[in-house]
Amino acid sequence: MIEPGGVLTLGPGDHPLAAGADISGGGTLVIDTASGTTTFPAGTSATMTSLIHKSGTLTGAGAVTVKNLDWRGGAQSGTGTTTVLSGGTVVLSGTKTLSRLLRLDRALDLTAVPGSLSVAAGGVLESSGLLAVPDGARLVPAGGLLRVRAGGTLKKTGAGSVTLPPVENLGLITGTGTIVAAVVNKGVVAPGSSPGTLSVQGTYTQGAGGALRIDLVGVGAAELDRLLVSGNAALAGTLAIQRSPSFIPPAAATFTFLQAHTVTGMFTATSGGSVAGTHALVPRYELSSVRLVSTGVPPPPPPPPPPPPPPVKCLVPKLLGKTLGRARRLLAARHCRLGRVGRAYSSKVRKGRIVKQSQRAGARLARGAKVNVTLSRGPRRK
């Protein structure tokens, strides 16, 4: 236990912690072991207010958690994690080598960082805050990785270039100038400063969950965001267009927002492409570039035609008791025709009236069907 205000200094030599041992408290741990090694094996941990790492190697699978980190030299290695909590400070000076996970839960401006940090094989510098990277910042790629966590931001400042370890982005990459590194985007890349240009000297790979956000404020080359890639740009995920509400792209206008040595793949989704419902900004892919083209939106398709009316049929009327002339008119109105006319004596139906019809009233027959009738001769004379 290091009491608040207390300091525990580990001098030259090796300092292996016993399994299950912990260093904790509100004080400061100073590692100044020259060529010696301080080992935190699996199952051990160190949780304190401050860590001052002057020399020697911090290693092991154990966890080291601090509020303030002052790293002046030496190396940190092993499969464990060194975490700097939010609300603290990070001071990096001298020459250092990282080959374990260093997690920064706070902002870090590398503008004010003297010395260099070599991110070696097995090393991951992971940031969940704002990581401001100026021109010439001395993060030396040596086989390790720079990871921007979800909620974190890597902001390239200045118009020059900076060499970084390969970048895995799950948060946001923004800014101007040139990043010399391979970039894998699983979060959001937003070039420029609304608008502006960001260059990647290396390859750019956008995963299915990644998005490239492009601001568009006018027709000029300086009025849209651009991403320039010296290597291959492998595309997937989303193209997110953010157009100024006051800018209405003219019809057939084109905006080249991505240029690369080669372009492979395509964005699987585009958001923000609709313009006032009259036209749309649509990506067009070429061998070494992707551009937006302002195209007309086709009118909505006409409604489907109504279903055809059912075929007209002969609906047989009731003809009993009707005259022959009346029967013809009724049949014609129901799309039927008068068929054969017979005669028979009847004591119940007056002479000249229909006493019998061949099809029952209400029957549905083919259009133009004939209905035979029998006229009454009146009663038979005795």
Side-chain angles (χ1 to χ4, degrees):
M1 172 71 73
I2 307 175
E3 297 295 335
V7 177
L8 172 61
T9 300
L10 303 179
D14 295 333
H15 300 275
L17 268 70
D22 295 322
I23 298 177
S24 62
T28 300
L29 174 64
V30 178
I31 299 179
D32 192 10
T33 59
S35 60
T37 299
T38 302
T39 304
F40 293 86
T44 65
S45 65
T47 304
M48 66 211 74
T49 298
S50 301
L51 170 63
I52 301 175
H53 189 172
K54 295 182 177 181
S55 65
T57 299
L58 182 159
T59 190
V64 177
T65 304
V66 298
K67 184 176 181 181
N68 306 303
L69 173 64
D70 181 355
W71 191 3
R72 305 175 189 178
Q76 295 193 14
S77 64
T79 58
T81 301
T82 301
T83 301
V84 183
L85 301 175
S86 61
T89 60
V90 176
V91 178
L92 302 177
S93 59
T95 301
K96 307 160 293 296
T97 300
L98 177 68
S99 52
R100 70 187 269 134
L101 174 58
L102 173 57
R103 177 175 294 156
L104 304 179
D105 290 341
R106 62 171 312 283
L108 174 62
D109 187 350
L110 293 179
T111 304
V113 174
S116 64
L117 174 61
S118 178
V119 185
V124 179
L125 177 60
E126 186 177 86
S127 174
S128 60
L130 172 61
L131 182 62
V133 183
D135 298 341
R138 299 176 68 185
L139 285 179
V140 181
L145 180 70
L146 173 59
R147 178 183 296 137
V148 183
R149 297 180 67 192
T153 299
L154 171 64
K155 183 174 183 178
K156 168 64 179 67
T157 60
S161 66
V162 61
T163 299
L164 299 176
V167 179
E168 180 187 27
N169 176 47
L170 290 84
L172 171 66
I173 297 178
T174 188
T176 55
T178 301
I179 295 174
V180 183
V183 175
V184 175
N185 178 30
K186 302 176 183 178
V188 176
V189 169
S193 299
S194 299
T197 299
L198 179 65
S199 298
V200 173
Q201 189 171 321
T203 58
Y204 176 80
T205 303
Q206 181 163 305
L212 176 60
R213 191 172 71 205
I214 298 297
D215 290 343
L216 181 62
V217 299
V219 296
E223 295 181 296
L224 77 155
D225 287 338
R226 294 191 304 154
L227 178 65
L228 308 181
V229 182
S230 68
N232 181 64
L235 304 180
T238 299
L239 171 62
I241 304 168
Q242 291 198 334
R243 178 182 54 84
S244 170
S246 62
F247 173 58
I248 304 299
T254 63
F255 308 90
T256 301
F257 64 90
L258 173 63
Q259 291 176 280
H261 183 263
T262 53
V263 174
T264 57
M266 293 190 299
F267 299 109
T268 54
T270 300
S271 65
S274 177
V275 181
T278 59
H279 54 293
L281 293 167
V282 180
R284 293 286 186 263
Y285 299 88
E286 298 176 355
L287 178 63
S288 59
S289 65
V290 185
R291 56 196 174 100
L292 290 172
V293 179
S294 181
T295 62
V297 176
V312 178
K313 292 183 176 294
C314 162
L315 181 61
V316 178
K318 181 179 179 181
L319 303 177
L320 300 181
K322 306 293 192 295
T323 64
L324 195 59
R326 176 65 174 160
R328 282 197 179 95
R329 292 192 293 273
L330 288 174
L331 288 168
R334 299 291 185 92
H335 307 289
C336 308
R337 292 188 297 163
L338 181 65
R340 296 190 302 273
V341 178
R343 288 174 172 75
Y345 292 105
S346 173
S347 59
K348 296 182 179 179
V349 178
R350 286 191 299 164
K351 182 180 179 180
R353 305 279 178 157
I354 294 175
V355 68
K356 185 179 179 182
Q357 61 186 82
S358 62
Q359 304 289 342
R360 64 176 179 81
R364 292 180 179 272
L365 308 176
R367 181 187 178 99
K370 293 182 178 182
V371 178
N372 303 327
V373 298
T374 302
L375 289 178
S376 172
R377 291 178 179 268
R380 186 186 297 273
R381 292 181 181 179
K382 298 182 180 177

